[in-house]
Amino acid sequence: MTMMVQIDPSAWQAGFDAGEAGRPMTPCPQNLDPLSYFSGWIEGDAKRQGFGHSLGGSQ
């Protein structure tokens, strides 16, 4: 059985932008997919702190 996770690029980008700007992780805006948003937030926060990060939502 193969499992796939779908990332919503718009929600991911919104999370990335929030993380990069240093905004709190929660709450996720109600109109966005939480998994995509939080995945983006983690990467944006990593970029803000100078760590390596992925541009997963924009691919």
Side-chain angles (χ1 to χ4, degrees), residues 12-13 16-17 19-20 39-59:
W12 189 95
Q13 189 64 53
F16 184 90
D17 294 343
E20 186 177 29
S39 295
W41 188 94
I42 290 167
E43 297 298 335
D45 187 55
K47 180 180 179 189
R48 181 180 63 81
Q49 294 185 50
F51 294 104
H53 61 283
S54 166
L55 296 178
S58 61
Q59 295 178 1

Side-chain angles (χ1 to χ4, degrees), residues 14-42:
F16 184 90
D17 294 343
E20 186 177 29
R23 292 194 297 269
M25 179 187 258
T26 58
C28 173
Q30 287 189 352
N31 62 329
L32 298 178
D33 172 60
L35 176 64
S36 299
Y37 180 86
F38 293 134
S39 295
W41 188 94
I42 290 167

Side-chain angles (χ1 to χ4, degrees), residues 3-7 35-36:
M3 293 181 59
M4 292 187 64
V5 175
Q6 296 268 327
I7 297 293
L35 176 64
S36 299

